């Protein structure tokens, strides 16, 4: 095998069965590489099994900020012999394969006796620490970084266990000399990375909710949204937030609406199947004008689909869930920073406008991890928008803005009456069709929708804005498209939407500047392209779609764009 040189970047893939320590390797490696000054991005994919199966983590280490997966693996470290087809696609003639010969056999594999080394250090289960050490050695990580990172990671464990793991990692560093016979990696470190945060999509959404002063979380666990529930539960004592694992999704939505009615900021996290069951409650939010904030982490359907995989297949479900007409807002963050700020914003707008607000992510997004600069907390808002009621308080008073004053029980002298039937200004059921019904719809739908539309976040434009081809992305595909542009000799214009509803009022003018539009989506039915065509009346010439349950790599998107340029 000829010695290969990698400059500025390396892509590393680990694979193994559930329970073999793949996630431990990812967590320790990303922490210590960031501490050493490398930019890191990792993403993982799972089979839907508690133990066994084949899982993998792709880790990208770079001299520049990265946040999208690569197609190939420069280094491949399988802990089991079996590799699924999509992992085999990552192995090229240039991939250096590292494995334990007693467990796996590949042509030209570099043999590292992980188990034997781990056993010598104290326990066979330290194999993952040996693997961390091997990668750390290739990337010239210092002993002090190893010691600090392992000590912090295993905090609370017996000191002997911590030291044995550190020793296992150092033994791994020694073994890395075998790989360096085949591979030379030259990646410049950036000291500023050491002060940045290492954040997953899950953590970003959860932190956004905390920043908005969330006081009540009701959810029924459903992959891949459960991580947000678990994070918020872990922080509940510090945040003084009540966490409720409820018996079903119908109860979830109604309990969350009850909390908002009583004055507490409430939050729900679920996936598409869970949201489908909440549909009636979303309508209840619409007619009662009770705020509602829900995070929907998408996975492939229909039905149970591929429960641990990724897809952007629930945009239409979120857009049209619930019966009747009422305004809603849908955010689709493309970065962890956006996930934090947009979740915070979701609470603010739900509270101000008394509408349901959705944060739409997916399995790929919530299970990816990267370093990011520390967020500016001066940008967050957490102001309550309920009012003290007077004796003559009318919950649904007709207002010019479309927003009626929202009182809460016990705060003031008025009664806070809400009704899921059509109602008058007092909140009492009505059959007055020509006056009251019409006035209520004009208030809560037309006038409020105009208000909501004034707060629309404009799409992010990048690339060559004078190009006749525009490539559109939304949500989690944004970073892969931006990275794909870097691979193209002549990148087209790019536009990323982090808010997918409502769209900007001038969207037709924005899109009609381009002769051809291509939309990149992780679904089979081109849901956002359909929305653009229907709402803006602009034809979409090319649909770049993927619906395998896996995210786009930057190389895939670059090839698709090249084929239509």
């Amino acid at each position: 095998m000829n010695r290969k040189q990698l400059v500025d970047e390396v892509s590393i893939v680990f694979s193994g069965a559930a329970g073999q320590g793949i996630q431990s390797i990812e967590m320790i490696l990303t922490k210590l590489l960031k501490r050493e000054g490398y930019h890191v991005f990792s993403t993982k994919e799972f089979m839907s099994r508690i133990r066994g199966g084949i899982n993998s983590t792709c880790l990208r280490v770079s001299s520049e900020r990265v946040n999208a997966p690569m197609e190939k693996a420069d280094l491949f470290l399988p802990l089991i012999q079996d590799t699924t087809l999509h992992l085999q696609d990552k192995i090229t003639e240039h991939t250096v394969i590292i494995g334990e010969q007693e467990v796996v056999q590949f042509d030209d594999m570099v043999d590292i006796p992980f188990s034997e080394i781990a056993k010598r250090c104290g326990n066979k289960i330290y194999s993952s620490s040996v693997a961390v050490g091997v990668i750390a050695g290739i990337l010239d990580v210092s002993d002090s970084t190893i010691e600090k990172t392992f000590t912090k990671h295993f905090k609370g464990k017996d000191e002997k266990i911590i030291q044995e793991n550190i020793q296992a990692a150092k033994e791994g560093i020694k073994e890395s000399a075998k790989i360096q016979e085949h591979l030379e990696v030259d990646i410049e470190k950036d000291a500023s990375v050491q002060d940045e945060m290492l954040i997953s999509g899950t953590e970003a959404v959860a932190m956004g909710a905390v920043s908005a002063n969330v006081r009540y979380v009701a959810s029924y666990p459903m992959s891949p949204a459960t991580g947000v529930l678990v994070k918020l539960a872990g922080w509940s004592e510090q945040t003084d937030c009540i966490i409720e694992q409820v018996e079903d999704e119908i109860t979830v939505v109604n309990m969350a609406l009850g909390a908002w009615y009583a004055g507490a900021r409430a939050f729900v996290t679920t996936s598409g199947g869970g949201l489908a069951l909440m549909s009636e409650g979303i309508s209840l939010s619409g007619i009662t004008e009770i705020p509602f904030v829900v995070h929907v982490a998408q996975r492939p359907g229909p039905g149970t689909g591929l429960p641990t995989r990724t897809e952007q297949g629930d945009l239409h479900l979120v857009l049209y869930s619930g019966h009747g007409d009422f305004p809603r807002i849908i955010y689709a963050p493309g970065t962890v920073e956006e996930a934090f700020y947009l979740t915070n914003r979701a609470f603010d707008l739900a509270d101000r406008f008394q509408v349901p607000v959705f944060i739409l992510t997916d399995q790929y997004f919530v299970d990816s991890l990267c370093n990011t600069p520390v967020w500016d907390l001066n940008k967050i808002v957490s102001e309550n928008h309920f009012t003290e009621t007077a004796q003559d308080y009318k919950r649904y008073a007709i207002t010019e803005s479309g927003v009626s004053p929202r009182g809460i029980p016990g705060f003031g002298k008025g009664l806070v009456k809400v009704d899921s039937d059509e109602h008058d200004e007092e909140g009492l059921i009505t059959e007055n069709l020509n006056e009251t019904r019409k006035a209520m719809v004009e208030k809560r739908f037309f006038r409020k929708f105009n208000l909501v539309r004034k707060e629309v976040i404009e799409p992010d434009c990048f690339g060559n804005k004078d190009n006749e081809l525009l490539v559109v992305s939304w949500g989690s595909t944004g970073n892969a498209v931006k990275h794909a542009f870097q691979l193209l000799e002549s990148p087209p214009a790019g536009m990323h939407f982090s808010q997918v509803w409502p769209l900007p009022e001038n969207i037709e003018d924005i899109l009609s500047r381009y002769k051809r539009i291509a939309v990149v989506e992780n679904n089979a039915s081109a849901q956002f392209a359909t929305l653009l065509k229907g709402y803006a009346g602009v034809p979409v010439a090319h649909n770049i779609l993927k619906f395998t349950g896996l995210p786009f790599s930057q190389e895939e998107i670059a090839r698709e764009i090249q084929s239509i340029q």
Side-chain angles (χ1 to χ4, degrees):
M1 188 186 293
N2 296 324
R3 193 167 190 243
K4 183 185 175 187
Q5 186 179 33
L6 292 173
V7 178
D8 294 333
E9 189 164 71
V10 62
S11 168
I12 307 163
V13 174
F14 304 91
S15 74
Q20 276 195 300
I22 294 291
Q23 285 192 42
S24 296
I25 295 174
E26 177 195 17
M27 288 308 301
I28 300 173
L29 258 183
T30 49
K31 285 175 187 172
L32 72 82
L33 293 175
K34 187 195 84 71
R35 191 188 291 270
E36 192 73 8
Y38 291 113
H39 290 278
V40 293
F41 169 82
S42 73
T43 189
K44 41 191 161 294
E45 51 94 18
F46 317 92
M47 284 187 172
S48 180
R49 299 182 189 177
I50 303 299
R51 295 190 70 85
I54 302 169
N55 304 332
S56 74
T57 293
C58 299
L59 172 63
R60 191 172 173 182
V61 187
S62 175
S63 58
E64 296 183 345
R65 196 172 303 284
V66 284
N67 38 31
M70 294 176 73
E71 193 169 59
K72 65 180 176 65
D74 297 312
L75 287 168
F76 181 49
L77 202 158
L79 300 186
I80 53 175
Q81 181 64 43
D82 289 343
T83 53
T84 55
L85 285 174
H86 66 269
L87 283 177
Q88 289 174 25
D89 291 343
K90 289 184 174 294
I91 302 171
T92 71
E93 58 182 321
H94 303 296
T95 302
V96 175
I97 302 176
I98 307 165
E100 185 170 7
Q101 206 148 34
E102 286 187 9
V103 182
V104 295
Q105 285 87 40
F106 287 87
D107 293 339
D108 297 325
M109 185 183 80
V110 179
D111 177 32
I112 307 280
F114 294 107
S115 304
E116 184 187 318
I117 296 168
K119 247 167 122 179
R120 275 204 316 263
C121 293
N123 196 316
K124 191 179 174 181
I125 63 171
Y126 302 154
S127 294
S128 54
S129 295
V130 181
V132 168
V134 170
I135 303 302
I138 296 168
L139 291 165
D140 193 27
V141 174
S142 67
D143 281 0
S144 65
T145 298
I146 292 278
E147 288 160 9
K148 285 178 190 169
T149 306
F150 273 78
T151 301
K152 193 169 181 185
H153 182 83
F154 289 105
K155 187 179 176 185
K157 300 272 187 190
D158 189 274
E159 182 61 24
K160 179 172 177 286
I161 293 174
I162 296 173
Q163 292 305 320
E164 287 176 347
N165 272 286
I166 291 173
Q167 186 56 39
K170 288 182 177 177
E171 291 299 321
I173 289 175
K174 291 177 189 171
E175 292 291 318
S176 69
K178 294 180 185 173
I179 291 102
Q180 292 176 42
E181 292 172 12
H182 306 278
L183 185 71
E184 179 186 352
V185 180
D186 182 11
I187 301 175
E188 193 173 338
K189 298 176 185 176
D190 177 355
S192 67
V193 172
Q194 297 169 347
D195 297 324
E196 294 192 349
M197 302 183 295
L198 189 63
I199 294 288
S200 69
T202 289
E203 291 168 319
V205 171
M207 291 167 76
V210 171
S211 75
N213 204 22
V214 64
R215 280 289 170 267
Y216 182 74
V217 178
S219 284
Y220 182 82
M222 178 171 276
S223 297
T226 308
V228 174
L229 176 63
V230 171
K231 281 289 168 193
L232 289 169
W235 301 334
S236 60
E237 286 190 13
Q238 298 100 308
T239 58
D240 195 22
C241 179
I242 296 171
I243 311 292
E244 190 90 30
Q245 181 180 320
V246 187
E247 68 269 25
D248 61 52
E249 281 85 355
I250 297 172
T251 317
V252 163
V253 62
N254 290 327
M255 290 179 78
L257 290 174
W260 274 103
Y261 169 73
R265 287 191 158 193
F267 187 48
V268 168
T269 179
T270 188
S271 188
L275 189 77
L277 296 168
M278 297 180 194
S279 181
E280 189 176 21
I282 293 167
S283 291
L284 181 62
S285 166
I287 194 166
T288 57
E289 300 182 63
I290 295 176
F292 181 58
V293 179
V294 56
H295 166 237
V296 182
Q298 300 164 96
R299 67 191 205 189
T304 308
L306 297 169
T308 59
R309 303 287 179 180
T310 200
E311 196 162 275
Q312 291 181 302
D314 293 337
L315 173 58
H316 286 184
L317 170 70
V318 171
L319 181 59
Y320 302 117
S321 61
H323 49 288
D325 295 319
F326 54 93
R328 70 187 73 200
I329 299 168
I330 307 174
Y331 294 126
T335 66
V336 289
E337 183 181 33
E338 282 185 349
F340 173 73
Y341 287 120
L342 290 178
T343 303
N344 175 271
R345 185 180 173 84
F347 280 87
D348 184 51
L349 266 59
D351 203 334
R352 280 164 58 195
F353 301 137
Q354 304 166 25
V355 296
V357 183
F358 301 84
I359 302 127
L360 195 54
T361 67
D362 51 55
Q363 180 271 324
Y364 158 66
F365 183 84
V366 294
D367 288 330
S368 294
L369 188 70
C370 66
N371 60 290
T372 187
V374 175
W375 299 322
D376 181 1
L377 299 185
N378 291 317
K379 292 182 181 176
I380 65 173
V381 287
S382 61
E383 181 186 354
N384 289 316
H385 292 276
F386 50 74
T387 184
E388 185 173 0
T389 58
Q391 193 80 45
D392 60 349
Y393 172 69
K394 293 178 181 178
R395 173 64 185 91
Y396 299 109
I398 300 293
T399 61
E400 191 175 335
S401 69
V403 178
S404 304
R406 183 168 70 93
I408 59 172
F411 186 48
K413 297 178 180 174
L415 288 176
V416 183
K417 291 172 277 188
V418 295
D419 195 336
S420 66
D421 286 86
E422 189 55 273
H423 42 254
D424 60 14
E425 290 182 280
E426 300 272 2
L428 300 175
I429 187 170
T430 183
E431 287 285 343
N432 184 329
L433 306 183
N434 290 331
E435 294 178 0
T436 307
R437 162 67 180 179
K438 194 176 171 195
M440 281 296 160
V441 173
E442 285 174 348
K443 178 186 78 74
R444 69 169 174 257
F445 180 61
F446 290 110
R447 290 209 290 281
K448 198 184 283 187
F449 185 74
N450 287 335
L451 206 59
V452 165
R453 201 155 55 179
K454 288 179 184 170
E455 299 285 343
V456 167
I457 297 171
E458 296 285 330
D460 174 27
C461 298
F462 54 94
N464 179 4
K465 295 171 186 173
D466 296 324
N467 199 290
E468 67 170 38
L469 173 65
L470 172 69
V471 176
V472 171
S473 62
W474 66 278
S476 67
T477 56
N479 283 328
V481 171
K482 288 179 180 174
H483 278 284
F485 274 33
Q486 294 172 11
L487 303 177
L488 298 170
E489 283 186 18
S490 176
M495 190 176 290
H496 177 73
F497 288 78
S498 57
Q499 179 168 351
V500 291
W501 189 259
L503 293 169
E505 273 189 270
N506 62 340
I507 186 67
E508 183 176 356
D509 294 337
I510 294 172
L511 296 178
S512 59
R513 295 173 199 158
Y514 302 93
K515 286 187 178 176
R516 290 182 296 137
I517 297 172
V519 182
V520 180
E521 299 188 65
N522 227 172
N523 61 50
S525 56
Q527 297 190 12
F528 192 58
T530 305
L531 182 61
L532 289 179
K533 284 188 278 189
Y535 187 78
V538 177
V540 172
H542 310 281
N543 292 313
I544 299 175
L545 306 174
K546 184 172 183 179
F547 40 89
T548 59
L550 297 171
F552 281 104
S553 69
Q554 58 180 27
E555 293 92 340
E556 283 177 291
I557 295 175
R559 281 196 301 271
E560 292 284 352
I561 294 172
Q562 277 177 326
S563 72
I564 58 176
Q565 278 184 313

